[in-house]
Amino acid sequence: MTPTIHTRSTVTWGLPGPTGLILPNGDINWNCPCLGGMASGPCGEQFKSAFSCFHHSTEDMKGSDCVDQFRAMQECMQKYPDLYPQEEEEEEEKPAERSEESAPTEASAAKEEEASS
C-alpha cells in the first residue's frame, strides 16, 4: 500500500484585488467589472474624467458641474459608433416592435367592429 499525501491547495477563486466600484479609501476602482471596460476603451480617459467629476461632485444637482467632461466623453464616443452605439439607434427599433405588438390589437378591434355591425 502507498501512503496518501494531503496538501492544502493554494488556488484562489475570483478576481484578484478589490472588485467593488469604490475602494475603501474612497477612490474609484477603474478595474471594477461593473464599469464594463469603459475606463480602458478608446474614450477611457474622457470616461474617467467625467465619472470622477460626477463621483466627487458636491453640487446640489449632482454632476451639474461636470457638463464639459460629459460633453467631451460624448464627442469621443461619437467617433466610435461601433463600440458605443447611440440610444437613438436603439429607439428606432422600438416603434417597429410596437407596431408588431399593436397589429393583433388593431385586428381584434376591427373584428369587434364587424361583429357589432
Side-chain angles (χ1 to χ4, degrees):
M1 198 185 261
T2 58
T4 303
I5 301 172
H6 297 279
T7 61
R8 278 189 176 218
S9 172
T10 58
V11 175
T12 58
W13 299 101
L15 299 172
T19 56
L21 178 59
I22 307 301
L23 299 172
N25 67 359
D27 289 346
I28 298 169
N29 176 12
W30 297 115
N31 295 320
C32 180
C34 62
L35 294 176
M38 291 289 293
S40 61
C43 299
E45 291 307 312
Q46 292 85 345
F47 173 80
K48 287 179 181 180
S49 175
F51 195 89
S52 235
C53 181
F54 182 85
H55 176 65
H56 296 291
S57 177
T58 57
E59 294 295 313
D60 286 337
M61 183 181 281
K62 189 164 179 82
S64 62
D65 52 335
C66 305
V67 173
D68 292 338
Q69 290 90 334
F70 277 97
R71 185 174 289 124
M73 181 182 75
Q74 182 180 24
E75 289 171 1
C76 180
M77 290 176 162
Q78 288 172 344
K79 295 176 187 175
Y80 302 93
D82 293 339
L83 293 174
Y84 308 105
Q86 294 195 0
E87 288 182 20
E88 290 97 15
E89 293 173 9
E90 293 172 12
E91 289 177 8
E92 286 176 8
E93 296 173 10
K94 290 181 183 177
E97 292 172 2
R98 285 188 193 129
S99 64
E100 289 174 9
E101 291 172 1
S102 62
T105 307
E106 291 170 4
S108 299
K111 287 181 183 177
E112 288 177 16
E113 284 181 29
E114 289 174 14
S116 64
S117 302

